[in-house]
DNA sequence: CGAATAGTGTCTCTCAGACAATATTGC
DNA sequence: GCAATATTGTCTGAGAGACACTATTCG
């Protein structure tokens, strides 16, 4: 495990790890995207006990020498094929009520992931099926463990993050239009935004979007082609993007 | 541990918990206050291995049937005598690098606590001494484990929380003046704020402060007595309190 | 041309920051 | 009165929301 400092070797030799109460540690992923205009979460149907037949957030046990973040990224790539670089990943928090897993004492470290629109992934080990489910249609009483609670925390955190960070672009492809970005805000917040004020706001906030200098192909509805942008280098939005009705 | 649903009893009987990699789980507290005008954190000097003689955040192992939040509150009351109701407590996150503890694999769940100005607490078990240390004078290379990292995350979270929540009042006594609150912002953010604009802002934000209708005793410097307030019921600030120079 | 989408300009209102002026205390 | 702190008022500039208007595409 860790580095041992001078003078501690003898003491460590006499140390018994079993003196500490044993826990299992898992990572669970709140993996969010916007697909077909819906703010959606990746859910699996469990094929093994406990909670067999229930739906759940993808996740699994952390290995003995594996960093928590690394375990999350490994699961992400394993279950969805999403590479870390193509998504935004941050820790959501630890969930560790004593009764959350019937098997034994488990602490789950939840991760929040923003991914661009992807083809539906194929089921991995322990899962019967896997699908993107719009967050407002999730049947909370069919969720395994305390995943309804974890999901609610992730959704609320995501909504708040869009206010003061430029992370909405993490739901889009590398090259995006202002309308792409606006549709992310509208899906995540569940509101309609004025396209004109939105345009002025995001193009006027330094570091939010960098122009590519090339127009996007015209969409199925026709209309003037939109300019393409890439994510800027800002990490915070100043001033913040305000969520209506608060 | 958890509730067992119908049809899972037989399967559980055959289940072997040792199949999962064992972890220890601890809670560590980033316990913050404002004392003598300084934004300060509670640190202990360790009297036991590992990191004997180093300074550390107060914390300890989570018991087998103890909820994470309950473990944090227990430690809080044990080490400082602060009651949960007198302080604000929220989870900061999980820290679990494989090398963070030389004894074994440990995941620490860190908690952030805002406490009002208190008399210096007495040392508890495993600690040689305990003291409030101004956060800008902490010697980071003398901190045990990854506590420099945890502390930095807590301090940054605290600074951000003051922007969009009324939690600055959690650093004050139950009855406080506008100047008390301003001194909290000034200490935590390390800036000087205009007393006049600050007054207009906090008294004009609904739910931030409720007037008590009684003046505070006059301070040592004289001057007009300030009105007393209590914390309002708002949980978010709209519009936010803006940190200067961003 | 009309329909649809993209993007700009203008007006108003709110609010933050600067700072003058007034109010209330102790000495 | 004088010093110190509290509280109110006034001005200005930035920015959000409402919405008219112009630009560019397809059919």
């Amino acid at each position: 495990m860790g580095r041992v400092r001078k003078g501690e070797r003898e003491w460590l030799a006499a140390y018994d790890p079993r003196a500490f109460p044993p826990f299992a540690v898992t990572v669970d992923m709140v993996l969010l995207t916007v697909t077909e205009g819906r703010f959606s979460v990746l859910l699996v149907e469990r094929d093994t006990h406990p909670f067999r037949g229930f739906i759940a957030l993808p996740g699994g046990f952390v290995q003995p020498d594996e960093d928590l973040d690394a375990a999350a990224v490994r699961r992400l790539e394993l279950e969805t094929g999403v590479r870390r670089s193509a998504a935004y990943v941050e820790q959501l928090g630890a969930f560790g009520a004593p009764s959350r897993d019937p098997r034994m004492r488990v602490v789950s470290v939840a991760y929040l992931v923003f991914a661009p629109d992807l083809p539906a992934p194929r089921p991995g080990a322990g899962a019967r099926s896997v699908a993107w489910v719009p967050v407002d249609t999730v049947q909370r009483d069919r969720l395994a463990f305390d995943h309804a609670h974890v999901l609610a925390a992730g959704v609320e955190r995501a909504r708040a993050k869009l206010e003061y960070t430029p992370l909405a672009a993490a739901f889009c492809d590398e090259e995006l239009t202002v309308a792409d970005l606006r549709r992310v805000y509208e899906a995540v917040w569940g509101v309609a935004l004025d396209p004109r004020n939105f345009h002025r706001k995001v193009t006027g906030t330094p570091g939010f979007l960098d122009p590519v200098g090339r127009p996007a192909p015209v969409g199925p509805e026709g209309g003037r082609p939109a300019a393409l942008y890439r994510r800027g280098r800002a990490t915070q939005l100043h001033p913040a993007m305000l969520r209506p009705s608060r």
Side-chain angles (χ1 to χ4, degrees), chain A residues 34-149:
Chain A
V34 175
T35 182
E36 294 171 7
R38 310 290 297 270
F39 183 40
S40 303
V41 60
L42 192 77
L43 295 174
V44 302
E45 186 176 349
R46 290 178 62 84
D47 201 21
T48 59
H49 286 289
F51 289 99
R52 181 174 182 166
F54 281 66
I55 54 179
L57 300 169
F61 288 91
V62 178
Q63 296 305 306
D65 280 305
E66 187 177 42
D67 188 62
L68 298 176
D69 292 8
V73 170
R74 177 173 61 85
R75 284 275 154 189
L76 173 67
E77 298 182 348
L78 198 78
E79 306 232 22
T80 66
V82 176
R83 280 181 223 151
R84 183 199 197 111
S85 58
Y88 170 76
V89 180
E90 76 169 30
Q91 192 194 107
L92 182 57
F95 296 81
S99 61
R100 67 179 299 280
D101 192 313
R103 292 169 290 188
M104 64 178 297
R105 184 67 195 268
V106 177
V107 169
S108 168
V109 181
Y111 280 79
L112 184 62
V113 181
F114 297 170
D117 195 1
L118 300 163
R122 59 234 162 270
R128 190 178 295 167
S129 65
V130 55
W132 292 107
V133 181
V135 296
D136 54 358
T137 69
V138 173
Q139 296 179 271
R140 297 187 182 190
D141 55 353
R142 287 197 56 219
L143 282 172
F145 306 106
D146 54 0
H147 286 185
H149 182 206

Side-chain angles (χ1 to χ4, degrees), chain A residues 6-7 13 15 17 20 23 26 50 73 100 116 120 144 156 164 170 179 187 210 216-218 222 230 232 234-236:
Chain A
K6 249 184 247 176
Y15 177 80
F20 299 109
F23 287 67
T26 61
V73 170
R100 67 179 299 280
E156 185 43 46
Y164 59 93
D210 292 334
V218 175
R230 283 184 222 274
T235 57
Q236 302 279 313

Side-chain angles (χ1 to χ4, degrees), chain A residues 33-40 134-136 155 159 162 168 171 179-193:
Chain A
T33 196
V34 175
T35 182
E36 294 171 7
R38 310 290 297 270
F39 183 40
S40 303
V135 296
D136 54 358
V155 165
R159 288 183 170 141
L162 294 209
F171 289 113
D180 291 336
L181 195 64
R182 177 168 47 82
R183 281 186 274 268
V184 168
Y185 276 95
E186 292 180 328
V188 174
W189 285 350
V191 296
L193 298 175

